Amino acid sequence: MTAAEPLPRGVPPLYGPVQARRNRGLYGLYAVVLAFLVIDAVLFPGLLSRDGFARLTQNWFPLALAGMAQALVMLAGGISLSLGAMVSLGAVIAAVTMSGPAGVGGGLALVLAAGLAIGAATGLIVVRLRLPAIVVTLAASFLIGGTALLILPRPGGAIPDGFSDLLAGDQPIAFGILVVIVGLWKLYLATPLGLSLYAAGENPVAAHNAGIAVDRVRIAAYALSGLLSTAAGLFVAAQTGSGDPVIGDSFTLNSIAAAVLGGVGFLGGSGTMRGALAGSLLLSLMINVMFFLGLPPVAQYVAQGLIIIAAVALPQLRIRGRRS
Amino acid sequence: MNAMNAGKTSAAVPGRLRTVLQNRALQMLVIVILVWIVAGLSSRGFASFGHLRYLLELAAVIGLVAAGQTLVVIAGGIDLSVGAIVTVSAISLPLLSGAGDATGLVGLLATLAVATAIGLVNGVGVSALRVHPMIMTLAMATFLQGALILVAGGTAVSAHNPVVEWLGSGRLGGIPAGILLWLVVSGATLALLHATPLGARIFALGANPLATLLSGVSVPGTTMLIYAVSGFTAGLAGIVVLGMNGQGYVGIGDPYLLASIAAVVLGGTSVLGGRGSYAGTIPGAILLVTVTALITVVNASPGWRNILFGGLILGLLLLSGRERARR
């Protein structure tokens, strides 16, 4: 895969049509997200102020990162059941190191390095040893969650106030960071590793025959997914001001839900990051709206379950209806 | 896995013995017995009859959940809602056994019907709506988690149901009723898998769904049936758990989801479907419980407990769980 050579004459451009095809299934989701945004803004007019927007995006941010992390692994043809434990680990490392001699910078570096390294190790085991991702990450969730409990047996530690206020204060900085991350993702997709991700997930054998280093591409996806997960943990710790070794547990299922709502497939190579982001935004808006409607917090689980099934089943039924 | 072992042993060991040595269920059984012997020698109380019987009682619950899970996994699916179904069953039994139900059988049957119905809905979602099993059962688990708290509230409920109390603490000839129930279910599951046409269809479905469909097997019917059975066995497990604990509460079934998958995988059933047996799952469940008990004996902190448990699953996987085929 050498530098971009200009396409020979007569070859139709690929980028536009491919993007349009990937968007096709998502218009419904965008409409639902928009509807929820409107409902949320009507119920809670403060949303439109800068402060309200900052809160909204801060509630969304960790799930957005987790959804992206899960989507990355799923695009590479895997799944991560250890994502929640990674979020916890990120939160715990941040809470323990940042107020110590390492400082904010050192803590940040440690959190990101741990995510990258553990993600890469998980990917190495899944890809090189040809073990099923679901079982490896299940076992990894115990290993990682256990490590988080060893580092911080009970909620505690501290995030320096300045750093907490910076990330989770009344300025929409979290949203800015998310925009940067999405921009970096676009850049990643333009690198050889990113370009090969869809091919390696969709059809590893064909991708291999086409000269793609499939294993390396998939391991890189796991490593980046780990990085995003611990970063989400760091943010959660900054939000709460301290660390909690089990705070990430709910992120495993919610990240899968976000990716699935966003149209990311379980078999690899199908789906988009913008879908996963929209899916995570929908989940976070839904929780917001139900809270303002005065519904008990558990009602969100009921709604979540129904929405996920509907989101997956309806397109299937429509395809079948068209065929018959 | 088999081919790899065969390469090492073929020169020295005659054919039939080799087949026996390669039997995953037997390998697991040997591991369990070795662990029991070592643990018994190093820890005085471990090998006492009472303690081993208690371990088997705990393993029975995992074994019951894993019975349905084994069928689902062999058929190429996965059931992530079994933990929630265990909870549903443990909580709805007290709600369903009314005052006029003296024997407790009506409440028991109604609970099992509810659990089976939930499994059936999973099956309908997977086969008729074509939702991926992982999504369908995950969404079902999420739904049930919320619905349970809405229906039952956050408090624990206790049952005064004679049948359930007997299942949880009764004995027949010194053997706890839970273990007896597990024996019966094990026999039925093994017979279903290896001695009936349905069992052959389940293996076929996991190996190649399209070929199975083209062979004239009703794939939707078989799929719905398997998920319904998984709901049923999870419901049974919930009743035994309720009997052992005395009360049911939200979250009581959560540990059994991962435990059931771990037992199935340790037992040598391929998560890709089409290969495996419940005969391996049985010692798998016992090994899980044994190791958990050992970790408790050495008085490890919760962190180390999780690390040891995860390391065990990963280690056993590395030893023998490698998948030959790439998707």
Side-chain angles (χ1 to χ4, degrees), chain A residues 2-323:
Chain A
T2 49
E5 295 161 25
L7 287 173
R9 268 170 196 285
V11 175
L14 268 173
Y15 187 78
V18 165
Q19 293 297 332
R21 204 184 63 198
R22 286 179 184 164
N23 262 336
R24 202 186 290 154
L26 290 175
Y27 292 124
L29 177 65
Y30 294 153
V32 175
V33 170
L34 202 65
F36 264 89
L37 263 176
V38 171
I39 296 172
D40 212 16
V42 168
L43 288 172
F44 178 57
L47 182 75
L48 300 172
S49 71
R50 192 175 62 190
D51 191 39
F53 181 73
R55 293 269 167 256
L56 176 86
T57 46
Q58 280 159 18
N59 288 337
W60 174 33
F61 187 76
L63 188 56
L65 290 196
M68 286 181 84
Q70 189 65 262
L72 245 172
V73 178
M74 284 168 73
L75 284 176
I79 184 145
S80 172
L81 296 185
S82 57
L83 196 144
M86 291 289 278
V87 173
S88 298
L89 186 70
V92 164
I93 294 179
V96 168
T97 56
M98 281 194 168
S99 49
V104 168
L108 183 70
L110 269 174
V111 166
L112 299 183
L116 206 58
I118 297 174
T122 312
L124 206 66
I125 294 173
V126 170
V127 173
R128 285 265 188 242
L129 302 179
R130 308 248 182 282
L131 287 168
I134 179 168
V135 192
V136 172
T137 55
L138 177 67
S141 75
F142 284 95
L143 287 168
I144 299 164
T147 311
L149 275 169
L150 280 189
I151 296 176
L152 198 66
R154 56 192 63 81
I159 303 290
D161 285 340
F163 189 63
S164 266
D165 287 343
L166 180 71
L167 279 183
D170 47 11
Q171 300 293 325
I173 290 177
F175 184 71
I177 298 175
L178 189 60
V179 171
V180 172
I181 291 176
V182 170
L184 288 175
W185 166 248
K186 280 282 168 202
L187 282 181
Y188 181 71
L189 276 185
T191 66
L193 277 180
L195 263 176
S196 320
L197 179 66
Y198 278 87
E202 165 104 39
N203 191 336
V205 178
H208 176 78
N209 291 343
I212 291 173
V214 173
D215 284 5
R216 199 188 308 160
V217 170
R218 294 173 74 189
I219 294 171
Y222 275 92
L224 284 180
S225 163
L227 179 78
L228 286 171
S229 312
T230 49
L234 172 89
F235 186 82
V236 172
Q239 241 178 343
T240 54
S242 65
D244 180 340
V246 293
I247 200 162
D249 283 359
S250 64
F251 279 92
T252 304
L253 298 192
N254 280 339
S255 68
I256 298 176
V260 166
L261 277 176
V264 182
F266 271 113
L267 299 177
S270 80
T272 54
M273 214 40 111
R274 67 195 89 123
L277 280 170
S280 63
L281 180 58
L282 177 59
L283 284 182
S284 129
L285 282 174
M286 196 185 75
I287 295 167
N288 241 4
V289 167
M290 294 182 80
F291 176 77
F292 280 119
L293 289 178
L295 290 168
V298 290
Q300 68 168 274
Y301 293 122
V302 176
Q304 210 170 308
L306 293 176
I307 288 181
I308 295 172
I309 295 179
V312 181
L314 288 180
Q316 289 283 356
L317 290 178
R318 212 167 49 205
I319 292 169
R320 267 207 284 176
R322 218 178 285 150
R323 264 191 217 136

Side-chain angles (χ1 to χ4, degrees), chain B residues 248-326:
Chain B
Y249 48 88
V250 175
I252 192 173
D254 289 355
Y256 296 106
L257 167 61
L258 299 189
S260 72
I261 297 175
V264 169
V265 173
L266 289 182
T269 296
S270 161
V271 279
L272 302 180
R275 273 191 305 125
S277 168
Y278 187 61
T281 308
I282 298 172
I286 301 176
L287 185 64
L288 274 182
V289 172
T290 307
V291 172
T292 315
L294 277 177
I295 296 171
T296 320
V297 165
V298 297
N299 215 358
S301 72
W304 279 114
R305 218 179 291 164
N306 280 347
I307 291 178
L308 286 171
F309 189 74
L312 169 92
I313 298 180
L314 201 57
L316 283 167
L317 260 181
L318 291 178
L319 283 180
S320 52
R322 298 179 66 165
E323 299 288 350
R324 291 271 110 190
R326 303 189 63 172

Side-chain angles (χ1 to χ4, degrees), chain B:
Chain B
M1 164 189 97
N2 288 347
M4 217 167 61
N5 290 349
K8 272 184 231 160
T9 50
S10 56
V13 189
R16 184 173 300 170
L17 186 58
R18 201 167 70 220
T19 328
V20 171
L21 283 178
Q22 280 168 7
N23 186 313
R24 182 58 177 267
L26 214 66
Q27 290 173 355
M28 288 298 293
L29 201 62
V30 171
I31 294 179
V32 168
I33 292 172
L34 283 179
V35 171
W36 276 15
I37 291 175
V38 173
L41 290 177
S42 50
S43 156
R44 191 157 286 275
F46 189 91
S48 72
F49 177 68
H51 186 249
L52 293 184
R53 187 174 60 190
Y54 174 64
L55 286 186
L56 283 182
E57 257 187 288
L58 293 180
V61 181
I62 298 180
L64 286 173
V65 182
Q69 188 75 269
T70 306
L71 296 186
V72 173
V73 172
I74 289 179
I78 191 147
D79 191 343
L80 299 180
S81 66
V82 284
I85 298 179
V86 169
T87 308
V88 165
S89 147
I91 283 184
S92 54
L93 189 121
L95 300 177
L96 288 173
S97 7
D101 181 16
T103 56
L105 271 176
V106 178
L108 186 109
L109 291 177
T111 305
L112 287 177
V114 169
T116 313
I118 296 172
L120 192 63
V121 173
N122 277 333
V124 170
V126 171
S127 59
L129 300 180
R130 293 182 185 267
V131 182
H132 190 282
M134 220 185 297
I135 307 177
M136 183 62 213
T137 54
L138 186 65
M140 176 60 87
T142 315
F143 174 82
L144 290 176
Q145 192 187 349
L148 266 174
I149 304 180
L150 287 182
V151 170
T155 52
V157 283
S158 47
H160 299 287
N161 184 319
V163 184
V164 174
E165 276 159 24
W166 182 76
L167 273 176
S169 53
R171 296 223 169 117
L172 203 69
I175 306 172
I179 298 180
L180 286 177
L181 180 66
W182 188 25
L183 281 175
V184 173
V185 170
S186 298
T189 309
L190 285 170
L192 172 83
L193 265 180
H194 301 293
T196 65
L198 178 62
R201 275 184 233 135
I202 293 175
F203 277 101
L205 192 58
N208 190 334
L210 185 60
T212 312
L213 182 72
L214 295 177
S215 318
V217 172
S218 163
V219 171
T222 314
T223 308
M224 287 181 213
L225 187 70
I226 298 164
Y227 282 92
V229 169
S230 179
F232 176 80
T233 60
L236 267 185
I239 291 170
V240 175
V241 168
L242 177 68
M244 282 162 65
N245 269 19
Q247 49 180 207
Y249 48 88
V250 175
I252 192 173
D254 289 355
Y256 296 106
L257 167 61
L258 299 189
S260 72
I261 297 175
V264 169
V265 173
L266 289 182
T269 296
S270 161
V271 279
L272 302 180
R275 273 191 305 125
S277 168
Y278 187 61
T281 308
I282 298 172
I286 301 176
L287 185 64
L288 274 182
V289 172
T290 307
V291 172
T292 315
L294 277 177
I295 296 171
T296 320
V297 165
V298 297
N299 215 358
S301 72
W304 279 114
R305 218 179 291 164
N306 280 347
I307 291 178
L308 286 171
F309 189 74
L312 169 92
I313 298 180
L314 201 57
L316 283 167
L317 260 181
L318 291 178
L319 283 180
S320 52
R322 298 179 66 165
E323 299 288 350
R324 291 271 110 190
R326 303 189 63 172
R327 212 169 10 106

